[in-house]
Amino acid sequence: MAELKNHRTDFLNRVKTVEKKLEARGKAVYNPSDVIDMGYRYYERDWKRIPDFENEPTIASGSLKPAMLSIRPRERNEEFSLQFDGNIKVEKEGDYTFYFQAEGGYRFTVAGEKLYESFASDGKAILKSAKKHLGPGKHGISLTYNQRHRQHGFAISWSGP
């Protein structure tokens, strides 16, 4: 158990180092201020499809500071799901493009509209994109991510005016 804890601490320290490098590159690359009020719920089990979790026990939950979506809150590397709920801050009205790449299953919603959903990718990172017109202000986002076996997380980004 101590060995696992040491590996986890080492991994989280490496994540912090990468986040600092991204932050140093500027807001075009890393802008945690456009994601706010982000919370997560963590679940463990091997799901073949994305569940809705109403009957699943929550293993852990909390707020993310900075509000960066990542698999950091996980407690193991396989057979887990994370449910993220929060807001994005939009400065200007316009069309925003959301990009999502993952090897696991996922569901992503912006302002109440499901932009993409995938149940499995057979170990291949699949890139998807979708456009959504947003006005200025706060807009809810929700991401459910399910990691099964030997997968490597997800990447999410967006661009707009």
Side-chain angles (χ1 to χ4, degrees):
M1 192 67 160
E3 183 180 346
L4 177 62
K5 186 175 181 178
N6 289 338
H7 284 298
R8 180 176 169 79
T9 300
D10 179 56
F11 175 77
L12 292 175
N13 287 335
R14 286 187 281 150
V15 167
K16 287 178 186 174
T17 300
V18 170
E19 287 174 348
K20 286 179 184 176
K21 287 179 182 179
L22 289 171
E23 189 173 3
R25 292 181 62 195
K27 285 189 172 189
V29 175
Y30 177 75
N31 185 9
S33 66
D34 60 356
V35 180
I36 56 175
D37 312 322
M38 187 57 60
Y40 75 91
R41 291 184 311 279
Y42 172 76
Y43 305 89
E44 291 180 348
R45 209 174 67 143
D46 182 15
W47 292 278
K48 293 185 177 30
R49 299 185 67 77
I50 300 292
D52 288 321
F53 299 113
E54 62 270 351
N55 296 316
E56 297 293 333
T58 301
I59 304 298
S61 62
S63 296
L64 296 173
K65 305 261 188 253
M68 185 170 163
L69 298 171
S70 79
I71 62 172
R72 185 180 344 151
R74 80 193 187 293
E75 296 180 13
R76 62 186 189 186
N77 291 326
E78 295 183 342
E79 298 179 358
F80 69 86
S81 285
L82 285 160
Q83 173 66 44
F84 301 95
D85 292 295
N87 291 290
I88 56 172
K89 235 174 20 178
V90 173
E91 300 295 327
K92 295 172 85 175
E93 181 174 351
D95 291 330
Y96 288 79
T97 304
F98 294 83
Y99 305 92
F100 196 84
Q101 186 168 7
E103 293 179 16
Y106 57 89
R107 179 185 305 127
F108 185 66
T109 303
V110 175
E113 179 183 345
K114 182 169 45 176
L115 295 187
Y116 14 78
E117 183 171 57
S118 173
F119 296 114
S121 63
D122 299 325
K124 298 178 185 99
I126 297 171
L127 176 64
K128 300 226 179 187
S129 66
K131 288 190 186 243
K132 174 87 176 146
H133 188 85
L134 297 172
K138 289 187 345 182
H139 298 276
I141 62 171
S142 177
L143 168 65
T144 303
Y145 173 73
N146 182 45
Q147 183 158 311
R148 295 192 70 211
H149 305 287
R150 296 179 301 279
Q151 296 166 331
H152 302 288
F154 62 86
I156 185 168
S157 62
W158 52 88
S159 62

